[in-house]
Structure formats: structure tokens, C-alpha cells
Amino acid sequence: VQLQASGGGLVQAGGSLRLSCAASVLDFDSYAVGWFRQAPGKEREGVSYISSSGSSTYYVDSVKGRFTISRDNAKNTVYLQMGSLKPEDTAFYYCSAKRITSAYSERVYRHDYYYDYWGQGTQVTVSS
């Protein structure tokens, strides 16, 4: 499974960006997906997660109300719409995927140790 994150860039505080995570699999609807980020000198942290069906989502408190995760299984893509960006959102953003069985299609996985596949990431820089 290959994951390709894109959409990062430089934006002013208060601005918006949409990240995309494209997967090279035939059965993308069998994968739960997570977005993580890592800022220089800091540990990687989870940002948002979505179930394989897309019906369940989760956001870390620091982005709740500002970020929206969604997916289009027909396009093998998960999106992270980021709004009201703050300088503290500056980080390298990674998407990750975990293959699940249909019995867990509604579940989100809220820790990086669940995930088997990782993309190369995209840089997001928010200037003040």
C-alpha cells in the first residue's frame, strides 16, 4: 500500500488548506485512515481519524471545530480540510492507513501503533 499526501504549503494565520491522501489500493474502503503531524523538536501526534466507511471520525481537541476529515472511497482519497490555521499547526503532516475487516468498518483508530502503512507527508507552515 502506498500513500501519497499532498496539499501542504505556506499560509497565513487564519487561512485554510486542504490536504489529500491518495492510496494505491483496490479496496480502499477496507482501510481506516489517520492524519498525524510532527513539528520540529516535538513528538508525532495524532490529528484526526476516519473509519473505513467514513461514518465515524475523531479529532484531537486542538483542531476540533477547525479541521474536517472526509473520504471519497471511489477516488481512494482521504481529505483533511484545515481552517482557521494557527502558527502552532505548523508541522509535517502524514497520513496512515490500517486494513480492517468489515466488522470494524465504523471504528476509528486513535493511536499510531495501530497503523501499518504511512505516507511520506507534506509540510504545512502557518505564518503569524
Side-chain angles (χ1 to χ4, degrees):
V1 177
Q2 291 188 335
L3 302 172
Q4 181 64 53
S6 62
L10 174 64
V11 64
Q12 289 188 333
S16 300
L17 283 174
R18 187 177 79 159
L19 304 184
S20 298
C21 175
S24 62
V25 292
L26 296 179
D27 57 346
F28 187 56
D29 58 358
S30 295
Y31 290 82
V33 173
W35 281 100
F36 295 80
R37 66 186 180 187
Q38 188 166 20
K42 295 187 177 181
E43 292 187 355
R44 184 170 60 192
E45 66 169 342
V47 177
S48 182
Y49 315 96
I50 189 166
S51 62
S52 63
S53 68
S55 62
S56 301
T57 59
Y58 181 87
Y59 303 91
V60 67
D61 285 347
S62 61
V63 307
K64 203 171 292 183
R66 299 188 298 121
F67 291 10
T68 302
I69 191 170
S70 62
R71 66 189 297 158
D72 184 339
N73 285 341
K75 295 183 178 180
N76 285 10
T77 302
V78 168
Y79 304 98
L80 186 67
Q81 179 68 47
M82 306 186 297
S84 301
L85 283 163
K86 305 175 181 180
E88 51 263 44
D89 294 317
T90 295
F92 212 69
Y93 283 70
Y94 300 87
C95 60
S96 57
K98 172 182 173 60
R99 185 176 176 82
I100 54 87
T101 62
S102 60
Y104 299 98
S105 63
E106 309 295 320
R107 181 175 173 179
V108 296
Y109 295 83
R110 293 165 46 185
H111 200 285
D112 57 3
Y113 57 66
Y114 285 116
Y115 292 90
D116 304 308
Y117 307 101
W118 292 81
Q120 292 187 333
T122 185
Q123 177 69 40
V124 172
T125 303
V126 184
S127 63
S128 56

